[in-house]
Every structure is written in C-alpha cells, then in structure tokens.
Amino acid sequence: MDIQESILKTIAEAFEQLFNHKVDSEDLSLQPTRKEFEGSYTFVLFPYLKITKGSPEQSGEKIGNYLKENHPSVADFNVVKGFLNISLSSAFWIELLSQMMTEETPGHFAPRNQKVMVEYSSPNTNKPLHLGHLRNNFLGFSVSNILNAYGYEVIKTNLVNDRGIHICKSMVAYQKLGNDETPEMAGMKGDHLVGKYYVLFDQEYKRQIKELMDAGMTEELAKKEAPWMKEAQESLVKWELGDEETVSLWKKLNNWVYQGFNETYKKMNVSFDQYYYESDTYLLGKDIVTEGLEKEVFFKKENGSVWADLSNQGLDEKLVLRADGTSVYMTQDMGTADLKFKDHAIDKSVYVVGNEQDYHFEVLFKIMGLLERPYANNLFHLSYGMVDLPSGKMKSREGTVVDADDLIQEMVDTARSHTQELGKIDGFSQEEAEKLYEMLGLGAIKYFLLKVDPKKRMLFNPQESIEFQGNTGPFIQYTHARIAAILRKADQIGLDYSSNNFDGLGELENVEKQLVFMLADYSKKIAMAAEDLSPAVIAMYLFDLAKEYNRFYAELPIFSEAKNEVQSFRVTLSDRVAKTINAGMKLLGIDVPQKM
C-alpha cells in the first residue's frame, strides 16, 4: 500500500470514528499541496461538510488531529479554508529515499508480456526529412522508450512511402533534366538530390498549368492535362505493371534517398526495429478490397472504383481502390495493418502521424472493425500538431522546406557559440567540447519539440530552445552536470553516500522533503505518459525536478554542513535526482553531460 492509500484509509476511519459515517477510502482522494502552503498532500473538505456538520476549519482540525494520532507517518497538518494540508514526518521521507536507492533504475516496471508496435517517421522518398519529421521521429522514439519503461515489449517501425505519385514526380523531372547526375557529382546527400528534382517538377508543372490556362483551359482541366503530370501518372501505372526501365529508375532514386535518411536518423539518434515498404504492402491491400466486396463492407461504383460507405457510422464514403485498379493510401494501410499483426502478434499498434490525417485513421480503424479484425479495438492514432517557425509555415513543394539536417547543424552551431560565450567549457579538450555541443544542440531541439502536448500545434523557437535558463533541455542538462560535479567532489573527499543509513539525521528541511516527494512521483509520471502517449508529461516533470533541485542547491549547504550525516544525505539525494534526470531524459532520447 502506498502512502496516499494509507492516509486515505486513515481518513475513512476518521469519518467512521468522529462522525459515525462509513466512507469507502477508494472514493476519497488527495492532491499535491500547492507550493505556497506547507504540506505534501491536501484533502479537500468541502464535499464532506454535510457529513461532518461543522465548518471547514473545525472539520479539518478534527480529521487532522485524528491523522496525527493514528497514522505513524503524519507529523503535522494545517487547515486553510476548506483544505486540509498534511505534512509527513522526516522519518518517512528518509526511509522512502533509502528504499528508492535500492532500485538500480528509477521508474522500472515489471514486464507486462504484451507487444506494442509504434510506427513513426514514415517518410516519402521524394525529399529530405524536415522540421515536421523531427517532431514525428522524436515523438515516436520517445513514446517507444516510455512504453518500454512501462513494461511493454516495443517494436519500433518505419513504414516508408516508397511508391506513389510523389516519387513519380521526382522520376519524371530527373528523366527530363537529370543528365545522369549522382549525389557524388552534385556534392549532395541522396535525399537532397531527389528532393531537388521534386521541386523542379513542381516549378515546371506550375508553368505548364499557366500556359494551358492562358490558352483558354480551366484550371481544373489544366492541372490534369499538364504534360508532366500526365507522364507522372503514366509512370505510376508502368511501375505497378513492373516496367523494367521505370522500376530501375525508381530503385536508383529510392536507394539514394535511403542513404540520406540513414545519415539523418543517425544524427537524430533514433532507430527502428522493423522497416515496411508500401511497395510490398499495396498488393495485400488489394486482397482486402476483394474480401471487403465479398463481405459487402465495400461497394463498386459504375466507373469500377471501390468505396467504403461509412455514413451509418457518422462518417462519409471513402475510396479504397481507384477505377484504374491502382491503390490509394487506404488500400496500403489496410494491407499493412494485417501484415503487422501477422508478423509480430502484437497487442497494440500506435500510428504517429500528423493531425491532418485524423479522418483517414478514424476511417481505417472503422473499416478494420467492419472487416472483423480481432485487433481493430487496439489501434491508436497519436495525432500531433504542425510545427511552425517564427518565420511561418513550411511549404516543401515550393523549395522553402526547413531541412532537418540544416536545422540540427544550426542548433549545434548555436550551442557552440552560446556555450563558449558563457565560458562553460573550461578545461575541455576539443573532442569533449564538440561532443558537448552536439549533446546540447540535439537536446535543445528534442526537448523543445517534446515538452509541448503532442496534440497542440507549436512554434519552434531555435534561440529560446538553447537557453540555459527556463524550460529548456540545456537547463536540465546543466543541472545534471552540476550534480555530477558534486558527486565527483564527494568521491574526492571520501564521503560515503551509498550506505542508505541515515540514523541520527534529525529533521529534514522542506525543500529536501519536496525533492524526495518529487522523486517518488517519477513512476506515476511514466504511467501517465504511457497511458496518454505523451512525452510532454516526462518533459514537464524533469523541468520541475531540475527547478526544485536548483532551489535546494541555492538554499542549503552541502559540503560546508557541519554534520557528516547531513552531508551524506544531501549528496545521496543529489545522486538520486541525477539518476532520475538521466533516466527521464533517456526516455526523451536525450543524453546528459557529466560536466559543463
């Protein structure tokens, strides 16, 4: 039984003994005491005044005194209006820290014997990864880490959009303008080179539309009749028919893109256990379309296209196969859903995809339910908002994309100049300094993108993200480095902070109790982050913990403290904070430095 359950049980006893009224302790709740009041937990009295038949102050005094007399860990209380604030004894907090220090890894959960697949990244093979992909990858990787810490076996998956009209556009432009250019010849990463031809296609396509409209054609018709668009459509049909020349060019361009992506993933420090390719799954989807027609889940229109009618589910009609027999995204996603469960027998599947696809996934999950797939109720869409920069929304087709590689490099460069300016690398070798800049630059961008609730659209401010003060990655990283320096000093002077024996310590200061309280909360935060699929829960917790530790550091001496036991306790407490920061930042995919 944890401390909250134990206190609530005693409060339930108080109702029976003092007010002759039976209350189930499970119907009662505590909340953390607000910072401006003394105490750790608060019991709200207002809902129970009919039972106590007294004022909030009188009722609080009675219940508070009962707790003090009957609960061994309750040391004191105070009543503020209708709120009973409960303070626990120093002995309780000391014992709690001693117990925590026996756990090797903070926030460890027992295996659940359940598999979860988290699908993220899912790039198109026609352009490099951009700022939006950074949020996607960091979210997917972090959610995978959090679910793993929560006891799930996690399979990190990347579904690559390697076929379709997007790559055909790059292929057409390359055929027309490429002159057999290679990444080596261009001095570019492969994904950047293929992206260049995607932009060139778009520029020429717009020119052709304008030309046709100037000749009297409507815009809608001009978009269809533009020669390069017609060639791209033909290229897609040829690819599906297995035309040798088309497939050969497709493979060449895609391989260049994969080489580029792998470099970027390495920079991002994200990884995958399984890759799926749409070129392998779209045919499976076609089989499901046939099955859906037989089960009357789908219907065929006069032009031969196949649709799902979900109007009785509060949705609309959705295309699942084009009239010319080619696949749409829904076809492929149905096939891939079946394939995932066949390959891994997973219990849950999480799709990390932007909120512009909310309707798509609502439809997909409904269709899989109508097709009576046993896994249909365990499909989850982690829908996240767009990322803007102060300069405004990104538009990749116009060639103004905020490139992921460039942005990461810019963050590392900013970390370098900022750190040098503040003089935080004294005594570092060049190699150590460069490693720190990368750690801070990547930590800054990851933390900034993860600290916001995934569902919210957000503004990424590169300059703000790198600051050493405020709710930033570098602030938390700096706090870890500060504690690492304290631990090194403790080792140098031979201070023992590993025995967990704090006899004779006496009363703790409030800031010490608050730190132990926050450390004990870490497991609950992991559970909340896992249930909500939200790394923002962990990010905010780490910021609050680092902030509280810095208050502790400012208010209380460590090595100048006269009593050896107090020194030892404060270093032990610091050690546990460092371990928790390290563990929590790892869940976010962020490394922490040992010195700064």
Side-chain angles (χ1 to χ4, degrees), residues 49 53 68 129 186 241 243 257 300 360 375 425 457 504 528 535 563 577:
L49 297 181
K53 296 182 171 58
K68 228 174 138 176
L129 303 174
L241 293 170
D243 176 71
V257 171
K300 196 174 273 194
H360 174 87
Y375 56 76
I425 50 160
R457 184 171 186 148
M528 198 187 299
K563 284 180 77 174
V577 171

Side-chain angles (χ1 to χ4, degrees), residues 447-464:
Y447 183 85
F448 205 94
L449 293 178
L450 291 173
K451 73 177 181 179
V452 178
D453 183 320
K455 296 180 192 70
K456 291 180 180 172
R457 184 171 186 148
M458 68 171 293
L459 183 73
F460 173 63
N461 187 327
Q463 204 56 47
E464 187 187 324

Side-chain angles (χ1 to χ4, degrees), residues 80-91:
V80 181
K81 296 181 179 172
F83 301 94
L84 170 61
N85 302 318
I86 301 158
S87 296
L88 303 181
S89 68
S90 291

Side-chain angles (χ1 to χ4, degrees), residues 130-148:
H130 57 61
L131 176 55
H133 288 119
L134 288 181
R135 191 177 198 191
N136 180 303
N137 279 277
F138 297 156
L139 269 174
F141 189 69
S142 181
V143 163
S144 299
N145 291 342
I146 290 164
L147 290 171
N148 186 253

Side-chain angles (χ1 to χ4, degrees), residues 259-356:
Q259 287 164 20
F261 283 173
N262 288 338
E263 282 181 49
T264 308
Y265 290 140
K266 198 174 173 185
K267 275 186 204 167
M268 287 186 198
N269 198 19
V270 301
S271 59
F272 306 93
D273 305 309
Q274 166 91 57
Y275 280 86
Y276 285 111
Y277 297 91
E278 284 197 2
S279 53
D280 295 329
T281 59
Y282 80 103
L283 289 174
L284 293 176
K286 287 183 175 181
D287 296 341
I288 295 171
V289 170
T290 306
E291 177 196 338
L293 283 167
E294 287 167 6
K295 288 183 174 177
E296 297 184 355
V297 171
F298 304 143
F299 70 96
K300 196 174 273 194
K301 289 195 175 179
E302 284 178 14
N303 66 356
S305 60
V306 181
W307 298 71
D309 183 4
L310 301 170
S311 50
N312 62 353
Q313 306 260 344
L315 299 170
D316 209 339
E317 291 183 352
K318 184 73 174 178
L319 178 70
V320 294
L321 199 69
R322 292 192 190 98
D324 63 4
T326 56
S327 305
V328 291
Y329 280 117
M330 190 59 71
T331 331
Q332 298 153 40
D333 281 348
M334 292 187 304
T336 310
D338 265 7
L339 188 60
K340 286 175 175 179
F341 283 84
K342 181 169 163 262
D343 286 352
H344 295 282
I346 51 183
D347 299 281
K348 293 183 181 183
S349 188
V350 178
Y351 297 79
V352 183
V353 183
N355 58 12
E356 70 276 9

Side-chain angles (χ1 to χ4, degrees), residues 366-382:
K366 283 273 192 329
I367 286 174
M368 299 325 276
L370 291 170
L371 290 168
E372 299 174 326
R373 292 302 190 263
Y375 56 76
N377 291 331
N378 290 313
L379 300 170
F380 302 92
H381 175 205
L382 174 48

